[in-house]
Amino acid sequence: MRKQFLTVLIIILGLQGYSQTVFKKGYIINNSSKKIECLIKDLDWSNAPKKIEYKLNENANIKVGTLATIKEFGIAEEIKYIKFVGDIDRSTSNVNKMGYDKKPVFKEEQLFLKVLVEGKANLYEYQSGSLTRFFYKTDERSIEQLIYKKYKVGEYKFAENTRYMEQLWSNLKCSDISVLDINKLHYRKKQLINFFVSYNECHNSEYARYRKKRKQGLFNISIRPGINSSSLFLESKSNPIILPASRNVDFEKELSFRIGVELEYVLPFNNNKWSVLFEPTYRSYTPEMEFNYLINGGRILRTTTVKVDYTSIELPIGVRFYSFITDNSKLFFNVSYALEYVMSGSIESSNGYLPPVLDVETDGNLSLGIGYTFKNKFSAEFRYSASRDIVSEFSLWNSDFKNVSLILGYTIFNNKNKSKK
């Protein structure tokens, strides 16, 4: 199951790069300083991009812009990146790899910087994984990094190089900004944005603040009926010398009905491709099997009936990834972990073949699903659940309960009629 889980996870992460994303009106400026109006593929970048995809119109072929071919691009008043060639310090804040040197270690690189504030003084951001660096520019100074670095001063002691405060105090002076204001300024995006906005306002300078419109998460409620195909194998762990007869029981696959209510919250980032799920589900498995068996070395023939009564409420919690196909259709992939509330659970047999009653007790298990959604209203999913032991409380017995499901869905509530891609 672990291998299957990892396989699905790799597929999901791979599809993230290929799933359809909307092209938005924007522009690029090439190395000849020519501004070209175009449509840019909005990937809702959390890390600084190294390339972008764009096209000149809806029907044109997709082109790729890189640090080698463009020096600026933007989408409306939401996103703007500029090319920067200069020094950046990538010193780590990981305590296991942190050094004792207070000074930043600069290396010249070519990067796209996100423009946060643009006016008499500009603020930029570079982000790559856990690394975040801020840069600034004034009318008198070209772009340079605001310096902040953590470093060791002992085996378990750390200090901070906060030279960015000195840079700001020396180069962004204004009557409304005091030393105390600078000393309270943390190396955080929100605080630095507010500082640069205040500086531009203090100088009565026109400025632009680039930020994406805040998205709200989408909340969906869906009815999810379906069919389960389940099988159960019971195996005795008794010593064959003490109990010479085989005590194994193999129930063939049985179809049963399931009904669930899915609560889904679509996360407000990465163009609504990720969501978290909670799906309370009623399920029932009640097979009955009659067969003959021999005991005492095959000298006595008996008939037994084994009945299973296994009814429960599953409580799966999981994550879902959407891969957009068109405006109205998308694939999705689920990974979930389910706990279970057993409403009634017993395995009964006659003639001493099994203990008179085996109580059903279960642990949680993983499930993997793949499905399709149409118009954010209708869905179908195939789900595979890992096998589970449903008689785990009995030391002399093993069981292997397997289940696959075909699930249909109908969304009865959506707090937004159309999900943004």
Side-chain angles (χ1 to χ4, degrees):
M1 183 63 190
R2 183 178 298 175
K3 291 181 179 180
Q4 293 164 326
F5 172 78
L6 290 174
T7 299
V8 171
L9 186 60
I10 291 170
I11 292 173
I12 289 174
L13 294 176
L15 283 169
Q16 183 177 3
Y18 293 97
S19 56
Q20 179 176 326
T21 303
V22 69
F23 280 81
K24 293 183 178 180
K25 289 183 179 181
Y27 71 92
I28 65 169
I29 296 179
N30 62 23
N31 286 332
S32 301
S33 297
K34 181 180 179 181
K35 185 175 182 178
I36 302 171
E37 302 291 335
C38 61
L39 300 171
I40 296 177
K41 191 173 186 179
D42 181 10
L43 296 177
D44 198 17
W45 301 275
S46 56
N47 294 324
K50 295 181 180 179
K51 62 181 181 179
I52 62 167
E53 294 183 11
Y54 68 96
K55 50 188 180 180
L56 300 181
N57 56 60
E58 288 285 357
N59 300 317
N61 293 328
I62 295 176
K63 297 184 177 183
V64 177
T66 67
L67 285 160
T69 59
I70 62 176
K71 60 181 183 181
E72 180 179 318
F73 71 91
I75 298 176
E77 297 178 354
E78 298 182 0
I79 298 173
K80 182 176 180 179
Y81 281 89
I82 64 164
K83 180 166 70 174
F84 166 70
V85 180
D87 290 336
I88 182 173
D89 168 43
R90 291 181 176 269
S91 300
T92 181
S93 295
N94 186 322
V95 295
N96 296 319
K97 299 179 181 179
M98 193 181 299
Y100 289 87
D101 190 0
K102 177 180 180 178
K103 295 181 181 179
V105 181
F106 286 117
K107 180 181 178 182
E108 184 175 283
E109 296 187 32
Q110 190 170 248
L111 312 165
F112 277 128
L113 300 181
K114 180 188 285 188
V115 182
L116 300 178
V117 180
E118 191 173 48
K120 182 176 177 63
N122 299 350
L123 175 66
Y124 310 94
E125 179 190 37
Y126 175 79
Q127 187 166 339
S128 178
S130 61
L131 177 74
T132 301
R133 295 289 184 264
F134 296 100
F135 295 74
Y136 80 113
K137 176 181 178 296
T138 67
D139 292 339
E140 295 79 25
R141 302 182 70 87
S142 58
I143 298 175
E144 64 180 62
Q145 182 183 319
L146 288 168
I147 296 170
Y148 172 79
K149 179 181 178 180
K150 288 185 177 181
Y151 60 97
K152 286 184 177 181
V153 293
E155 185 66 23
Y156 302 105
K157 293 183 179 180
F158 308 92
E160 298 175 324
N161 178 347
T162 57
R163 185 161 173 256
Y164 70 93
M165 294 182 180
E166 178 186 334
Q167 292 171 284
L168 296 176
W169 175 246
S170 299
N171 302 306
L172 276 77
K173 289 187 177 295
C174 183
S175 59
D176 293 342
I177 299 175
S178 66
V179 175
L180 183 60
D181 294 329
I182 298 288
N183 289 337
K184 294 191 297 185
L185 189 62
H186 293 283
Y187 199 78
R188 299 286 185 269
K189 180 192 288 190
K190 184 176 180 180
Q191 291 197 27
L192 288 171
I193 286 176
N194 291 338
F195 176 84
F196 275 77
V197 167
S198 296
Y199 174 83
N200 283 294
E201 290 178 346
C202 181
H203 285 275
N204 296 315
S205 169
E206 292 187 1
Y207 67 91
R209 179 178 174 182
Y210 292 90
R211 53 185 172 183
K212 295 204 72 173
K213 295 177 181 178
R214 181 173 294 180
K215 297 179 180 179
Q216 292 184 346
L218 309 178
F219 183 68
N220 304 321
I221 301 177
S222 302
I223 301 296
R224 306 258 292 171
I227 299 295
N228 289 331
S229 175
S230 308
S231 63
L232 174 63
F233 178 72
L234 290 171
E235 179 184 28
S236 170
K237 294 190 289 184
S238 300
N239 190 323
I241 297 175
I242 299 173
L243 290 174
S246 171
R247 293 296 196 267
N248 296 344
V249 182
D250 192 359
F251 291 93
E252 296 182 354
K253 291 181 181 179
E254 179 176 279
L255 298 180
S256 60
F257 178 73
R258 54 95 73 194
I259 180 72
V261 177
E262 180 184 86
L263 309 178
E264 178 187 23
Y265 180 71
V266 182
L267 300 172
F269 59 80
N270 201 217
N271 294 311
N272 302 122
K273 292 179 182 178
W274 293 92
S275 68
V276 292
L277 314 167
F278 178 57
E279 187 185 356
T281 303
Y282 170 84
R283 55 168 300 150
S284 180
Y285 178 66
T286 57
E288 182 175 324
M289 182 176 179
E290 184 178 279
F291 58 94
N292 299 321
Y293 70 100
L294 298 174
I295 64 172
N296 296 331
R299 291 191 293 272
I300 301 176
L301 181 67
R302 287 187 180 179
T303 299
T304 188
T305 300
V306 181
K307 298 179 181 180
V308 178
D309 177 17
Y310 177 20
T311 302
S312 67
I313 300 292
E314 281 192 319
L315 302 170
I317 299 174
V319 295
R320 173 175 292 165
F321 173 77
Y322 286 105
S323 177
F324 294 95
I325 302 172
T326 67
D327 289 344
N328 291 321
S329 61
K330 50 194 175 185
L331 294 174
F332 63 82
F333 304 85
N334 300 336
V335 179
S336 59
Y337 183 81
L339 297 176
E340 190 171 33
Y341 170 70
V342 179
M343 302 170 65
S344 61
S346 63
I347 302 172
E348 300 179 359
S349 68
S350 60
N351 291 333
Y353 187 77
L354 302 176
V357 178
L358 287 173
D359 293 327
V360 171
E361 296 285 344
T362 68
D363 297 322
N365 75 321
L366 282 172
S367 295
L368 305 175
I370 180 171
Y372 172 80
T373 296
F374 181 65
K375 291 187 175 180
N376 295 316
K377 201 74 175 176
F378 308 95
S379 66
E381 177 188 343
F382 175 79
R383 182 179 297 175
Y384 169 79
S385 299
S387 61
R388 63 174 73 176
D389 184 1
I390 66 172
V391 293
S392 57
E393 296 297 310
F394 293 85
S395 59
L396 296 179
W397 292 89
N398 278 333
S399 67
D400 186 12
F401 179 78
K402 296 179 179 178
N403 185 77
V404 294
S405 305
L406 178 62
I407 307 166
L408 302 179
Y410 178 75
T411 301
I412 59 175
F413 174 81
N414 188 325
N415 70 340
K416 201 166 186 178
N417 291 331
K418 183 176 284 189
S419 171
K420 289 184 179 180
K421 292 188 331 184

